[in-house]
Amino acid sequence: QKEVEQDPGPLSVPEGAIVSLNCTYSNSAFQYFMWYRQYSRKGPELLMYTYSSGNKEDGRFTAQVDKSSKYISLFIRDSQPSDSATYLCAMSNSGNTPLVFGKGTRLSVIA
Amino acid sequence: GAVVSQHPSRVICKSGTSVKIECRSLDFQATTMFWYRQFPKQSLMLMATSNEGSKATYEQGVEKDKFLINHASLTLSTLTVTSAHPEDSSFYICSAENPSSRDSEAFFGQGTRLTVV
C-alpha cells in the first residue's frame, strides 16, 4: 500500500459545481496536511495548509482532515474554469520533513 | 509571500552532457531544501534533501554521483544532472523551507523541464 493514495481522475465538472477531492493515507504519524495546485508545466503552488484534524476555509476552498479515518478532503465551491489544474495532496510528519505527495487529481471545469 | 526561484525553467541538452539547475530562496534563508522529480502523470517523488553546509541525503534508488547537489549558501542549492540520458528527462522541482514561517512552511520553485535528446 502506498503511503498516500489519490484518485488521478480526470474529473470533469460544469462551472459553478462543488468539487470534492480526496486523499487517504496510511502513516498515522502525519501531522501536516497540504493541498497544492499545479498548472501544466508549472511548479505546485500551496492552496491550503492544515495541522492535525479539523476544517479550514479560505475563500472558495475548504480543507478537511479526519485523522481517525486517515482521510483528507479539499472542497472547491463555485468552481471556475480557472480552477482547471492538477490538485496534489501532500503530508508530512513535522514541519521540517519532506512532503509525501499523492499522485494528483486532474480537474477540468467546463464553462 | 516567500518566493523560491528556480532556473532554468526549461532546458534541452544532448545525451552525455551535464545540466545544472539552481534553486534560490529570494527573501528568506533556507537551511533545508528538497529536490523532487516528477514524471508525466506521476506525483512528485523526493530525490534528496539538501542541507546547507553538509552533504545531501539521497532517497533510495537515487544515484548521488549522477545527481550532484550543492547547498553552499543559505539561499542557493544546485542540482547537477551529470552525463544526462534520455531517461533523465523529467520535471525537476525544488522546495525550500522558511524556518521563520508557521511550521516551517515549504515553498516550491517553478520547476525545470529537462529534455535529454
Side-chain angles (χ1 to χ4, degrees), chain A residues 7-14 17-22 74 76 79 83-87 104-110:
Chain A
D7 187 339
L11 179 62
S12 185
V13 301
I18 296 175
V19 176
S20 174
L21 304 167
N22 312 292
L74 176 71
I76 307 174
S79 56
D83 295 328
S84 298
T86 295
Y87 290 79
T105 299
R106 192 151 49 95
L107 171 68
S108 293
V109 180
I110 311 300

Side-chain angles (χ1 to χ4, degrees), chain A residues 32 36 38 41-44 46 49 51 56 88 94-99 101-104 106, chain B residues 10 34 36 38 41-44 46 49 91 93 97 102-106 108-111 113:
Chain A
Y32 297 86
Y36 287 87
Q38 186 177 25
R41 301 177 182 272
K42 301 290 186 183
L46 181 66
Y49 191 104
Y51 172 71
K56 185 174 184 180
L88 299 131
S94 67
N96 60 355
T97 54
L99 301 175
F101 284 86
K103 202 172 180 178
R106 192 151 49 95
Chain B
R10 180 175 295 190
F34 302 102
Y36 297 86
Q38 186 179 31
K41 299 187 179 182
Q42 300 292 322
S43 183
L44 285 86
L46 179 67
T49 301
F91 194 55
I93 303 175
E97 289 195 334
R102 181 191 60 196
D103 301 320
S104 299
E105 190 174 340
F108 284 89
Q110 302 95 319
R113 182 162 298 282

Side-chain angles (χ1 to χ4, degrees), chain B residues 17-111:
Chain B
T17 61
S18 295
V19 173
K20 179 185 284 188
I21 303 169
E22 293 187 346
C23 181
R24 294 181 186 272
S25 56
L26 298 186
D27 56 1
F28 64 94
Q29 293 185 329
T31 55
T32 303
M33 290 187 177
F34 302 102
W35 287 96
Y36 297 86
R37 180 168 52 185
Q38 186 179 31
F39 291 105
K41 299 187 179 182
Q42 300 292 322
S43 183
L44 285 86
M45 298 299 294
L46 179 67
M47 297 175 66
T49 301
S50 171
N51 300 299
E52 187 271 335
S54 64
K55 290 183 179 181
T57 304
Y58 290 82
E59 295 299 300
Q60 191 173 8
V62 178
E63 300 175 60
K64 62 180 181 181
D65 294 329
K66 180 171 184 62
F67 298 99
L68 301 178
I69 291 173
N70 185 302
H71 194 157
S73 78
L74 287 171
T75 59
L76 174 65
S77 175
T78 61
L79 168 68
T80 302
V81 183
T82 63
S83 186
H85 290 284
E87 58 264 29
D88 298 324
S89 299
S90 185
F91 194 55
Y92 293 86
I93 303 175
C94 70
S95 76
E97 289 195 334
N98 183 355
S100 301
S101 73
R102 181 191 60 196
D103 301 320
S104 299
E105 190 174 340
F107 297 90
F108 284 89
Q110 302 95 319

